[in-house]
Amino acid sequence: MTVQDKRASDLALQSVLDRLAEGRTAALERLFQFLAIPSISTDPAYHESCLQAADWCADALRDIGFDARVEPTEGKPMVLAQWRDPAGAKRPHILFYGHYDVQPPDPLELWTASPFEAQLVDDAQHGQVIVARGASDDKGQVMTFFQACRAWMEAHGALPVNVTVLLEGEEESGSPSLAPFLEANGDALKADIALVCDTGQWDAETPAITAFLRGLAFSEVTLTGPARDLHSGIYGGPAQNPIRVLCQLIADLHDETGRIAIPGFYDGVREPSSEQREAWRALGFEMDKFLGEIGLSVPAGEADRSVLEQLWSRPTVEVNGIVGGYTGPGTKTVIPSQASAKLSFRLVPDQNPAKVIDGLHRFIAKRLPADVSVAYGGEGGSPAVGFDTDAPAFRAAAQALEAEWGKAPVIVGCGASIPIVESFRTRLGMDALLVGFALEDDRIHSPNEKYNLSSFEKGARSWARILGALGKANAGR
């Protein structure tokens, strides 16, 4: 790039950033309108609200300049939008993914205001914050990208890359319609790279790019003992209690050091390199603060692993819920016929979800006592995903983020799973770039969810820079 070309590129970007500053008030108004829609995908009572949210997104994208439509599915609809260079010029092509549905706001009594009436609140630590359900997960994040596209269109009448937008309405309820939609619409969705905004920053002043996602496997285990619930006085002692058996099985999943005791579970699990460990130590991660914010003080995972190592390089098994016997008010002295537990495994590269579930089955079968049978339900999963940090799109995004935040982004792992990212790779043959602006203390899925105003505004500026950088990079090729 010549000096003249660089100057022209810098001026073009600055005009976009100026547009974002000028449109600050209007941007917040649009976000507050979006947040006012109670698009709770898991509750059938809010189905119409989900349809409203999909229509709102399609209208917003059309207003920016996209060709947008709402695509029906067996569940909540998808929003699919496209912008192509009108002159047909060859440009990099990106797919942006987000979701318009939100978690239920319960318990409502813990909110300081109505969860669907967004408030701009002064916060002692973060300055002004936007408080509403969906502010951080994922409506505020989606709107940072919308704002970046809007500013490019207002400043130049065009985007620097060809863009496809895919928004789903069931991310918070398992995405049951997503796989068939990808299968049926793969050709329309394929791009050089996918951009996913459902992630976070390292801290309030430091951007991040997520380079690794743990995979996921899950199972519901149901144990059956006696043929019916029993009187604990008449049968207590000789009758096998499935709750007691289930508790023992759950306790046996870990040894005394916190390692998972299922034979073969760690086969293929790679140790972090010394360079990786040193890079993680250099981040200055504050374990006391991380745990202290949720009322804890001592790491409960593998005894010989740091917290970051546990989150970014080690697999886990967790008990997500237990049901059995009488759980209502007062006392009912029964030995239950059944007891069940929901289990989830977070997986790392080279772990196969099906093999992990098979290992669980073998582990339980070996320990089942007489007169107790087991059944399994709700099983599935997706493998872990890692990305090439030397890819052109990755480097372009890192440089754009550094230009906005004044410091290089931290390259992080993510202990959670985003199954759509694995689907993009296996079904559509493309990698993803995971950049988001949420913070650990945004209280997503909890009362008083918030999104820092600075995250919203600098997030939009960051996406504007990334789009410009991808337009100049040989993205994903």
Side-chain angles (χ1 to χ4, degrees):
M1 180 182 290
T2 66
V3 173
Q4 292 83 359
D5 288 341
K6 185 178 185 308
R7 176 175 171 77
S9 175
D10 289 345
L11 289 173
L13 175 61
Q14 187 57 53
S15 66
V16 175
L17 300 179
D18 290 344
R19 287 284 184 170
L20 285 170
E22 294 164 5
R24 176 180 182 272
T25 300
L28 274 178
E29 290 175 354
R30 283 188 289 268
L31 174 58
F32 281 26
Q33 291 172 10
F34 192 17
L35 293 171
I37 304 172
S39 46
I40 304 167
S41 60
T42 195
D43 188 341
Y46 292 89
H47 180 72
E48 291 300 319
S49 294
C50 290
L51 301 184
Q52 181 187 355
D55 287 336
W56 190 95
C57 290
D59 287 342
L61 287 162
R62 292 187 197 104
D63 188 55
I64 292 169
F66 283 82
D67 177 13
R69 63 187 186 273
V70 176
E71 292 278 0
T73 72
E74 290 296 320
K76 306 297 184 286
M78 304 286 175
V79 179
L80 186 61
Q82 294 183 330
W83 183 90
R84 299 290 184 271
D85 180 78
K90 188 175 182 180
R91 297 169 180 260
H93 179 196
I94 63 101
L95 169 68
F96 176 83
Y97 165 83
H99 63 92
Y100 63 79
D101 65 320
V102 299
Q103 284 277 331
D106 310 78
L108 293 174
E109 66 273 12
L110 297 183
W111 285 80
T112 56
S114 172
F116 296 105
E117 294 178 9
Q119 307 287 323
L120 195 60
V121 176
D122 290 326
D123 180 88
Q125 181 180 358
H126 296 300
Q128 289 190 305
V129 300
I130 303 158
V131 179
R133 172 57 85 231
S136 178
D137 184 23
D138 187 40
K139 291 179 178 179
Q141 302 257 51
V142 166
M143 286 296 287
T144 60
F145 185 80
F146 280 21
Q147 287 305 115
C149 292
R150 184 182 294 276
W152 270 101
M153 293 294 290
E154 289 177 350
H156 301 290
L159 299 175
V161 293
N162 288 332
V163 178
T164 298
V165 174
L166 173 64
L167 303 177
E168 69 158 317
E170 297 174 325
E171 195 274 346
E172 299 290 8
S173 53
S175 300
S177 303
L178 189 58
F181 187 82
L182 293 180
E183 191 71 30
N185 297 274
D187 290 342
L189 295 171
K190 285 183 179 178
D192 296 321
I193 194 165
L195 308 182
V196 178
C197 68
D198 207 2
T199 58
Q201 302 174 219
W202 175 247
D203 59 36
E205 289 80 36
T206 310
I209 301 177
T210 300
F212 161 74
L213 294 168
R214 282 197 290 196
L216 182 64
F218 38 87
S219 176
E220 183 169 359
V221 181
T222 299
L223 301 185
T224 301
R228 64 179 188 277
D229 288 359
L230 304 175
H231 188 295
S232 66
I234 296 174
Y235 289 95
Q240 189 65 268
N241 188 323
I243 293 180
R244 180 164 60 87
V245 177
L246 181 63
C247 290
Q248 185 61 57
L249 288 173
I250 290 172
D252 288 346
L253 286 171
H254 296 87
D255 68 15
E256 65 278 4
T257 70
R259 280 180 61 87
I260 296 166
I262 298 173
F265 182 79
Y266 291 99
D267 290 351
V269 174
R270 287 172 276 172
E271 289 291 329
S273 67
S274 57
E275 292 80 9
Q276 282 178 308
R277 286 195 174 100
E278 182 54 39
W280 294 343
R281 280 193 291 269
L283 291 174
F285 176 77
E286 298 179 50
M287 181 269 291
D288 292 343
K289 180 180 178 182
F290 176 74
L291 292 177
E293 288 178 347
I294 55 172
L296 303 176
S297 60
V298 180
E302 293 175 86
D304 58 343
R305 307 284 178 170
S306 71
V307 171
L308 284 186
E309 196 172 347
Q310 290 178 29
L311 291 172
W312 293 354
S313 72
R314 302 299 292 173
T316 66
V317 58
E318 296 293 347
V319 184
N320 306 128
I322 300 177
V323 177
Y326 178 70
T327 59
T331 300
K332 184 180 181 182
T333 55
V334 296
I335 296 172
S337 172
Q338 289 190 330
S340 64
K342 293 180 182 291
L343 305 179
S344 63
F345 297 84
R346 297 291 176 171
L347 309 179
V348 297
D350 298 325
Q351 283 188 298
N352 182 301
K355 184 179 178 181
V356 167
I357 291 173
D358 181 66
L360 172 69
H361 292 183
R362 293 173 183 272
F363 179 84
I364 290 175
K366 187 176 180 180
R367 288 163 174 78
L368 273 185
D371 295 330
V372 177
S373 62
V374 61
Y376 300 96
E379 295 186 325
S382 58
V385 182
F387 307 101
D388 178 10
T389 59
D390 289 324
F394 201 104
R395 293 200 305 270
Q399 291 167 3
L401 287 168
E402 183 171 4
E404 174 60 31
W405 294 83
K407 58 177 74 173
V410 174
I411 309 305
V412 302
C414 179
S417 307
I418 306 179
I420 182 63
V421 174
E422 191 270 337
S423 295
F424 286 152
R425 175 175 285 180
T426 57
R427 294 177 182 270
L428 303 183
M430 62 183 178
D431 277 337
L433 180 65
L434 278 66
V435 178
F437 305 97
L439 292 173
E440 291 286 348
D441 64 0
D442 277 350
R443 298 188 290 275
I444 64 172
H445 298 196
S446 297
N448 301 311
E449 178 180 350
K450 62 90 173 168
Y451 195 41
N452 290 3
L453 182 60
S454 60
S455 294
F456 178 63
E457 294 181 340
K458 289 182 73 65
R461 289 172 57 91
S462 296
W463 280 123
R465 291 181 184 273
I466 291 171
L467 289 173
L470 293 177
K472 293 183 287 185
N474 190 19
R477 299 179 185 224

